[in-house]
Amino acid sequence: MQALLDIQDLRHAYEGQADGHEAVRGLSFSLERGTIGCLLGPSGCGKTTVLRCIAGFETPRAGRILLNGVVVSSAQTSLPPEKRRIGMVFQEHALFPHLTAARNIAFGLSHGDVSEKRVQELALLTGITELLGKYPHELSGGQQQRVALARALAPRPELLLLDEPFSNLDTGLRERLSHELRDIIKASGATAVLVTHDQNEAFAMADEVGVVHQGRIEQWDSAYNLYHRPVNRFVADFVGQGAFLPAKVLNPRSVEIELGVLEGNIPSACQIGCDACGKGCLADVLLRPDDVVHDDDAPTRAEVVHKAFRGAEIMYTLKLESGRKVLALVPSHHNHALGERIGIRLDVDHVVAFAPQS
Ligand code: ADP
Ligand code: MG
């Protein structure tokens, strides 16, 4: 099937950016129609620049962007933004302050009854029917964001671009709205690219996520695989929490850390080498907080050095015999004091190992 959006080896530099420090440095991904994709990465990694190139506000230095198989951007061609059938929602809502919600939504539609009907449809879809007569300053941040989404969807764009759409909202609302926005986008049939630095937002909204680092995608994958099967240390560090422990790779199916031997397929073992192949066998193994299970009966003990109460769970930081620390996510009725030594065992489903950092 032909991708709706296809980005091929995109490169872009702003004036003054030296070679090797370009905003986007060879970034590729594609999205099938109806998919919500997300670029997830730290501030300054090039996310907004990619969206600006897709929208047609920037002409890339190299590479190509195809919509429905047609090149819309390359170093040679650039289709004007208004011809791309793209809708946009930005972090600062950007509603017109002197127009009501209804007129904000209608902006960009042709006049007449058809647009009136379309505004009503969009209001229903985004749950703002009651708010159509209000001005932006009379609306909460979440309501404004719904109006912005309705406005972006009104002309039936093929592609919707969302740049950190929740960053002005507080945490609880952010989570609820990200689920709702996902449902609204899915119901509209649009394909979407979301960019954010917030993994919870990415995971709540997107079908596929690309972790971006210095203008390139390190891994394009499901949220599950980014967390459980990160392909490199950057992804492992950026997505989720955890700790690395030094390990000896015994063979491609087992590693030994201070807490015991872990069995499982170790995809990276052949690059690291193992005891059997003679290439060297030292590795760093990633332990996620859900790999470390608190068990009062377990013989291995670790000292509670920090605890963060999260309601349903407590995130414990535990000091091992060696002095190294691991994290453990534990149901919060197991409420232990700082300094206490609690029993732990490992429940590791996927062994994630990388060559040791020199
Ligand atoms: P993100 O959205 O991931 O935070 P951006 O795409 O905004 O990242 O920026 C990528 C890099 O390009 C950063 O180093 C940023 O400082 C730089 N940059 C962004 N916009 C401009 C601009 N208009 N002029 C010069 N440099 C820019
Ligand atoms: Mg940005």
Side-chain angles (χ1 to χ4, degrees):
M1 200 164 88
Q2 187 180 67
L4 181 106
L5 173 68
D6 192 10
I7 300 197
Q8 301 173 348
D9 202 18
L10 188 72
R11 291 165 194 273
H12 189 64
Y14 293 100
E15 221 160 290
Q17 282 182 327
D19 286 354
H21 295 274
E22 299 92 343
V24 181
R25 305 177 204 172
L27 182 140
S28 308
F29 69 94
S30 62
L31 286 181
E32 301 293 339
R33 183 179 291 276
T35 310
I36 303 178
C38 175
L39 298 176
L40 170 67
S43 172
C45 73
K47 305 181 295 294
T48 295
T49 307
V50 174
L51 288 196
R52 290 182 58 80
C53 290
I54 299 173
F57 299 138
E58 302 285 341
T59 304
R61 287 267 175 107
R64 307 196 306 170
I65 299 174
L66 289 81
L67 277 172
N68 278 317
V70 176
V71 178
V72 294
S73 285
S74 71
Q76 292 77 35
T77 19
S78 185
L79 191 69
E82 63 277 11
K83 299 226 166 114
R84 295 191 180 203
R85 301 202 54 204
I86 288 178
M88 279 170 286
V89 180
F90 292 118
Q91 123 187 20
E92 60 284 357
H93 316 308
L95 296 176
F96 299 111
H98 58 292
L99 297 182
T100 59
R103 292 192 54 210
N104 262 287
I105 299 169
F107 191 87
L109 287 172
S110 54
H111 295 291
D113 291 340
V114 181
S115 72
E116 185 53 39
K117 186 164 158 260
R118 184 73 185 139
V119 170
Q120 293 294 339
E121 273 172 26
L122 263 309
L124 199 63
L125 182 69
T126 53
I128 53 165
T129 305
E130 310 297 309
L131 306 174
L132 282 175
K134 297 206 184 264
Y135 287 88
H137 73 269
E138 300 175 293
L139 302 173
S140 71
Q143 290 169 336
Q144 287 184 37
Q145 206 50 303
R146 283 167 210 264
V147 176
L149 181 67
R151 185 178 65 178
L153 288 172
R156 302 181 202 279
E158 285 213 287
L159 183 64
L160 186 67
L161 305 178
L162 303 122
D163 193 345
E164 314 254 4
F166 310 108
S167 56
N168 288 342
L169 310 178
D170 39 84
T171 323
L173 182 62
R174 210 183 253 219
E175 195 170 329
R176 210 180 66 228
L177 205 63
S178 52
H179 288 290
E180 285 180 20
L181 237 57
R182 178 185 160 84
D183 292 345
I184 294 169
I185 293 167
K186 286 284 173 186
S188 79
T191 308
V193 183
L194 163 76
V195 311
T196 179
H197 65 278
D198 180 329
Q199 65 173 59
N200 293 328
E201 221 163 276
F203 292 176
M205 288 227 12
D207 301 304
E208 298 168 8
V209 180
V211 175
V212 183
H213 177 45
Q214 296 181 339
R216 285 190 204 93
I217 293 179
E218 299 278 349
Q219 183 172 356
W220 182 271
D221 223 322
S222 63
Y224 183 92
N225 281 347
L226 293 176
Y227 185 80
H228 287 292
R229 302 180 197 276
V231 297
N232 60 34
R233 208 178 266 266
F234 180 83
V235 177
D237 275 334
F238 192 74
V239 176
Q241 289 180 281
F244 283 100
L245 290 183
K248 188 171 173 189
V249 185
L250 303 176
N251 59 59
R253 293 202 52 80
S254 54
V255 292
E256 186 172 15
I257 58 174
E258 62 182 284
L259 295 169
V261 173
L262 301 175
E263 306 277 350
N265 190 23
I266 308 162
S268 52
C270 294
Q271 286 118 52
I272 299 168
C274 66
D275 243 5
C277 77
K279 270 204 282 183
C281 60
L282 296 181
D284 287 343
V285 163
L286 173 67
L287 287 185
R288 295 291 196 195
D290 42 324
D291 294 331
V292 179
V293 179
H294 165 49
D295 178 351
D296 283 322
D297 299 329
T300 306
R301 301 266 135 183
E303 181 189 336
V304 177
V305 292
H306 187 263
K307 58 191 279 199
F309 185 74
R310 296 188 172 178
E313 292 122 357
I314 296 174
M315 181 74 86
Y316 285 106
T317 306
L318 303 171
K319 192 159 89 179
L320 306 177
E321 288 294 327
S322 64
R324 292 195 181 85
K325 291 171 190 157
V326 294
L327 296 172
L329 194 61
V330 176
S332 68
H333 54 270
H334 291 274
N335 190 14
H336 295 282
L338 293 181
E340 212 178 312
R341 291 169 58 77
I342 65 173
I344 54 166
R345 63 184 165 76
L346 296 181
D347 179 14
V348 178
D349 195 43
H350 319 280
V351 178
V352 177
F354 300 115
Q357 239 165 4
S358 46

